Amino acid sequence: MNIYGHIKKANNELSVIFNADNLKNVKNELILQAIVSSWLFLKKFIKNIRPDWTQYFSNRLENIIAEELIITNDMLSDSFRQYERMINEREVKSYIYQYIKLMETLLTFNKPFEESCAICQGELFYFTDLVNSIVFKECNTCGAHFDPLTDIRLVHKGTQVRPSTRFELLNERIIEL
Ligand SMILES: [Zn+2]
């Protein structure tokens, strides 16, 4: 099977997320399962293009716990639009970059229709700095960090950072159940 065959298979696996009868009821476990299945088809190609990200993402998939994820309806709608673009993409490298972006949108908490970077209007994703024990928002375009609640710009060097968990987001009152 050539790379286009692999891409087709990966899209097929992901379609489970977006073809759910009711997108709003799709469970985290199902989303994770679809992501892992799609990843198996793409891993070796992505490794050639983005070895650093491949390492990071393999680790993340190994350690991720479905109950720790928050995947909101807005995150699902936003990723559905990305998925629709991906399935029509014919250029391999562009496809890979779109796949990476889709993984970010689904697996790192963000508020796609509510907020954007004050400096460049880029998208903001929520991370936890494990050394300083803080949750912060990071712009995926200019890299600026912000306080999640006050939007004040933060200057800190995160050496141990990972996407924020449900518990952390609740604890900081960024989300409410
Ligand atoms: Zn920015």
Side-chain angles (χ1 to χ4, degrees):
M1 190 162 51
N2 67 16
I3 184 159
Y4 295 100
H6 282 260
I7 285 177
K8 200 174 166 193
K9 292 268 190 192
N11 287 340
N12 231 0
E13 298 294 345
L14 291 173
S15 72
V16 175
I17 302 173
F18 302 110
N19 288 346
D21 289 340
N22 185 352
L23 200 59
K24 287 184 174 151
N25 288 332
V26 64
K27 295 272 184 289
N28 284 359
E29 287 80 5
L30 184 102
I31 294 173
L32 269 180
Q33 228 170 52
I35 288 172
V36 170
S37 309
S38 71
W39 176 240
L40 296 178
F41 286 109
L42 299 175
K43 193 175 176 177
K44 69 172 176 178
F45 303 105
I46 297 186
K47 200 175 176 192
N48 294 332
I49 296 171
R50 286 287 306 273
D52 55 330
W53 190 81
T54 300
Q55 185 60 43
Y56 159 79
F57 195 62
S58 287
N59 289 343
R60 176 128 168 82
L61 283 186
E62 262 171 47
N63 295 310
I64 209 162
I65 300 165
E67 302 84 62
E68 280 192 354
L69 280 177
I70 294 274
I71 304 174
T72 62
N73 292 332
D74 279 358
M75 287 163 71
L76 278 171
S77 312
D78 195 34
S79 42
F80 183 45
R81 293 190 311 186
Q82 292 176 30
Y83 173 74
E84 283 184 312
R85 272 199 299 273
M86 264 169 67
I87 54 179
N88 294 312
E89 181 60 59
R90 295 288 167 261
E91 214 269 304
V92 172
K93 212 168 177 177
S94 303
Y95 176 88
I96 297 294
Y97 279 98
Q98 286 172 36
Y99 181 85
I100 290 173
K101 186 157 170 22
L102 182 74
M103 294 304 120
E104 191 176 31
T105 306
L106 275 174
L107 297 179
T108 304
F109 181 75
N110 64 100
K111 300 178 179 176
F113 307 118
E114 280 175 50
E115 56 183 24
S116 60
C117 174
I119 300 164
C120 77
Q121 308 304 314
E123 292 161 76
L124 298 170
F125 290 87
Y126 286 69
F127 293 93
T128 300
D129 176 335
L130 299 171
V131 175
N132 299 304
S133 292
I134 53 164
V135 173
F136 65 93
K137 302 190 272 201
E138 183 180 79
C139 171
N140 74 338
T141 306
C142 74
H145 291 181
F146 300 93
D147 181 279
L149 295 176
T150 64
D151 284 326
I152 290 169
R153 192 162 177 194
L154 300 174
V155 181
H156 67 116
K157 272 272 168 262
T159 46
Q160 276 187 57
V161 164
R162 57 144 172 71
S164 301
T165 62
R166 169 191 292 264
F167 173 77
E168 290 158 353
L169 294 165
L170 279 168
N171 203 33
E172 299 289 324
R173 298 180 189 282
I174 293 159
I175 53 164
E176 280 171 26
L177 287 185

